[in-house]
Amino acid sequence: MVTRNQPIRQPLTSTVVVNGVLVVAALYFLLPILWVLVAATKSPGELFSSFGLWFTDSPQAWLNLTNVFTQDGGIFTSWILNSILYSAVGALAATILSAACGYAIAKFPFRGRELLFSIVLGGVLVPATVIALPLYFLLNAVDLTGTYWSVLLPSMVSPFGVYLARIHANAAVPDEIIEAARIDGAGDLRIFGAIAARMMTPALVTIFLFQFVTIWNNYLLPLVMLNETKTFPLTLGLTLWNSQTQRDPMFYQLVVTGSALSAVLLVALMIGLQRFWKADLTAGATKG
Amino acid sequence: MVVPFAVMFAAFFIAPIVYAINDSLFSTKASGLGFGAPEKVFVLFDNYGAALGNPSFIESLGRLLAFAAIEVPLMVVTAVGLALLIDSAAARFPRIFRVVFFIPYGVPGVIAALLWGFLYIPATSPILQGLSSIGIDLNPLSTDSILFAIANIALWGFAGYNMLILIAALNAIPSELFEAAKIDGASEWSITWRIKLPLVRPSVVLVTVFTIIGTLQLFVEPLVLRPLTTAISSDYTPNLAAYNQSFSQGNPNLAAAMAVIVALLGFAFSFGFLRLVNRKGDRAW
């Protein structure tokens, strides 16, 4: 993709400058991650007394890991599982909902569809904080705060997903195919589920991944909604431990090792699914 | 098929906004001598008056604008710069760089703030230790530099994501344009300035608007850095102030007014920016 406009030979100086800057930038982006991976092998004391970017003589990664997973009755495992639950279920539901809505907006000329689309687009611009605080009071009124639902349900709404789905349905699902399926007697739901959704698969994967990371990284919503530590996602759990470092410095090491683990988890997911991060969808979107 | 999304959107997007606006127009007052249930009184814009009359809230708004003035140009220039570098013909291993720059996007903002927090205190930071050994003593968490310290965390987390949007736009430029330009003898430099940048302009605008919106939500980073420094107060940003009003001061009505003010500010800036670039666009292209 990038190679296509590559001439055979570049002037040496520009090659050195360009790649030099890129390497420096790469070091910048990797630095905190390298630091936390090294720091996760140290004792709480060494954390503050040894050079940050190199290992000490007595690495204790295994001990730190064991501590993280046994602290507070093994609650760290629950936090990981909760994070996966919130992100996976929320993103899956969000993908289905936005795909159906985006597809319908793209393919059915119903009354008020442009208005609906504009309102949804406006939703992209509303800061999450404006939603989260009042949402607490609304869900409190129906006794949902403190439950898994209080985080899951709001996570299922992705205006950006609707936007991507509409753009992609327009581009990837030809009207002729829908017509043909209708003549064959298929209902609209069946056409969407069996035909259109398959043609939109790349967009659906993208919507799922973006929403997954958004929910995984979310802090404010669970902070506002949840009060029992066993329902916490990782982000909230780690800040809970972080707030106890004043009381007991041992928590510094728990926070560091826990952060290292959570960073490794998602970085692995992102590198593993690298080819699905099809940003050209968003590029198409910006032109649509 | 629109209905399921529309219902969820109404329940978890529209309803809270309506609730916030409605809430911001009321005030809860203890009736009589404080006995009996407190009653809700319609106060129109009193909460807004209270918010805007509160010096520390005004201060936090000013701080937010200062932060946006640092963060938005920094983010846009970095994202555009990285995208152009990776897209340039001179770049080796562009795919690897692309992945590396994008990695921090997968690190939650809270964790990013925790990690940078360690890198901002001399006891644990290899950078500060290194600088100190050559005679430069920095304190990123001091009052003077704290906004830059926070801006750096946000830049680290989102520059790669924004870069990805821009790279995608660069890839969408038809290659005939480059060939034609090269036949006409254009240098890589002038191709960048005259072809690439003007053609990815819509994406740059998009990235800028997203950054403005994200910037005004500033909440997590100051919250996490707060225990490390005295430079961050409990109402350091409007969102922190609203959160505190709501959950520790027990004044959700004032909090709602504050949240609405931030949202209006966001809309004003986004649309102001869009109008500005559109007008410019008519002239230039």
Side-chain angles (χ1 to χ4, degrees):
Chain A
M1 283 190 281
V2 187
T3 47
R4 110 218 113 164
N5 54 322
Q6 208 157 31
I8 294 137
R9 200 159 276 280
Q10 283 291 310
L12 186 65
T13 44
S14 74
T15 309
V16 170
V17 171
V18 165
N19 291 288
V21 175
L22 285 173
V23 167
V24 171
L27 289 177
Y28 164 74
F29 285 112
L30 288 177
L31 175 81
I33 294 171
L34 292 179
W35 179 85
V36 78
L37 290 180
V38 171
T41 67
K42 295 178 177 176
S43 72
E46 288 165 345
L47 201 55
F48 293 94
S49 59
S50 59
F51 178 64
L53 284 178
W54 201 244
F55 303 94
T56 55
D57 298 333
S58 50
Q60 50 163 8
W62 185 250
L63 178 68
N64 289 336
L65 276 177
T66 322
N67 286 342
V68 163
F69 282 103
T70 51
Q71 176 72 29
D72 297 339
I75 198 153
F76 191 79
T77 317
S78 315
W79 291 343
I80 292 184
L81 294 177
N82 286 340
S83 268
I84 294 175
L85 174 82
Y86 291 130
S87 308
V89 175
L92 187 68
T95 308
I96 296 170
L97 289 176
S98 3
C101 184
Y103 170 77
I105 292 182
K107 293 300 175 189
F108 305 126
F110 57 91
R111 185 193 282 260
R113 80 167 172 176
E114 285 311 319
L115 177 70
L116 178 72
F117 193 60
S118 312
I119 294 176
V120 172
L121 268 193
V124 177
L125 298 181
V126 178
T129 36
V130 180
I131 312 266
L133 296 182
L135 200 54
Y136 170 81
F137 295 103
L138 281 175
L139 290 184
N140 203 23
V142 289
D143 273 337
L144 274 177
T145 46
T147 66
Y148 281 94
W149 293 112
S150 64
V151 173
L152 270 177
L153 289 174
S155 304
M156 294 176 180
V157 185
S158 166
F160 194 57
V162 173
Y163 179 58
L164 284 184
R166 178 193 182 167
I167 305 288
H168 202 72
N170 262 336
V173 187
D175 288 337
E176 293 78 14
I177 290 193
I178 301 177
E179 285 305 318
R182 266 190 203 137
I183 292 168
D184 290 345
D188 281 332
L189 266 183
R190 193 177 141 79
I191 297 177
F192 170 69
I195 303 170
R198 285 205 193 146
M199 303 177 101
M200 290 164 69
T201 302
L204 300 189
V205 175
T206 306
I207 295 172
F208 178 84
L209 284 176
F210 274 109
Q211 189 66 7
F212 188 96
V213 174
T214 304
I215 303 173
W216 185 278
N217 291 352
N218 199 347
Y219 179 70
L220 184 68
L221 186 68
L223 173 71
V224 169
M225 293 294 176
L226 303 175
N227 45 29
E228 273 184 69
T229 51
K230 69 174 171 49
T231 58
F232 280 10
L234 262 179
T235 46
L236 208 51
L238 284 171
T239 48
L240 176 75
W241 278 355
N242 191 47
S243 67
Q244 301 182 18
T245 48
Q246 307 286 343
R247 187 167 61 75
D248 181 355
M250 185 201 69
F251 276 96
Y252 277 118
Q253 189 51 57
L254 290 174
V255 171
V256 165
T257 311
S259 303
L261 273 171
S262 96
V264 166
L265 272 177
L266 257 238
V267 167
L269 180 81
M270 293 180 66
I271 295 180
L273 296 178
Q274 200 220 122
R275 63 197 187 89
F276 289 109
W277 292 97
K278 287 260 175 77
D280 22 328
L281 281 174
T282 47
T286 61
K287 282 173 193 154
Chain B
M1 279 197 280
V2 183
V3 174
F5 178 83
V7 169
M8 296 288 281
F9 187 73
F12 298 106
F13 244 89
I14 309 282
I17 296 172
V18 172
Y19 184 89
I21 295 172
N22 179 51
D23 225 25
S24 69
L25 303 176
F26 284 87
S27 183
T28 325
K29 293 206 172 108
S31 58
L33 293 163
F35 302 112
E39 53 179 329
K40 256 190 159 186
V41 188
F42 183 72
V43 293
L44 197 61
F45 293 128
D46 276 10
N47 287 317
Y48 292 89
L52 294 174
N54 180 344
S56 75
F57 184 71
I58 295 293
E59 233 175 82
S60 75
L61 279 179
R63 207 173 281 131
L64 194 63
L65 294 185
F67 175 71
I70 300 169
E71 170 71 11
V72 176
L74 187 67
M75 175 69 82
V76 175
V77 169
T78 309
V80 172
L82 292 179
L84 287 174
L85 282 175
I86 286 191
D87 190 64
S88 83
R92 300 279 159 82
F93 315 113
R95 297 178 66 97
I96 294 178
F97 283 119
R98 213 176 65 162
V99 177
V100 168
F101 297 172
F102 185 50
I103 281 176
Y105 178 66
V107 179
V110 183
I111 313 277
L114 280 172
L115 295 185
W116 280 103
F118 283 108
L119 294 175
Y120 286 157
I121 42 178
T124 47
S125 169
I127 313 164
L128 296 182
Q129 289 162 3
L131 286 173
S132 178
S133 69
I134 55 168
I136 306 170
D137 280 306
L138 280 183
N139 179 10
L141 294 173
S142 69
T143 318
D144 297 333
S145 53
I146 183 76
L147 280 181
F148 290 94
I150 297 174
N152 174 54
I153 300 176
L155 178 75
W156 182 79
F158 288 98
Y161 170 74
N162 289 325
M163 174 204 72
L164 213 62
I165 295 178
L166 294 164
I167 287 183
L170 284 169
N171 283 339
I173 300 175
S175 48
E176 297 84 42
L177 281 180
F178 299 117
E179 279 149 30
K182 269 179 209 133
I183 291 168
D184 290 346
S187 66
E188 178 87 10
W189 190 246
S190 61
I191 289 177
T192 301
W193 280 104
R194 304 251 174 94
I195 299 178
K196 287 183 181 176
L197 270 180
L199 283 176
V200 297
R201 197 168 156 275
S203 295
V204 177
V205 170
L206 183 86
V207 163
T208 312
V209 171
F210 279 168
T211 309
I212 292 175
I213 303 287
T215 302
L216 295 181
Q217 302 198 42
L218 187 61
F219 177 79
V220 169
E221 290 86 354
L223 188 73
V224 174
L225 293 179
R226 218 185 130 210
L228 302 177
T229 169
T230 51
I232 299 176
S233 55
S234 67
D235 47 9
Y236 191 71
T237 73
N239 272 333
L240 270 177
Y243 177 77
N244 277 325
Q245 284 299 337
S246 204
F247 290 98
S248 35
Q249 311 285 329
N251 195 346
N253 302 102
L254 182 58
M258 289 172 165
V260 172
I261 291 173
V262 177
L264 289 178
L265 210 61
F267 276 122
F269 275 100
S270 308
F271 286 110
F273 174 74
L274 285 175
R275 281 201 67 156
L276 188 78
V277 290
N278 283 341
R279 206 179 288 163
K280 254 192 190 165
D282 290 340
R283 277 193 215 140
W285 294 293

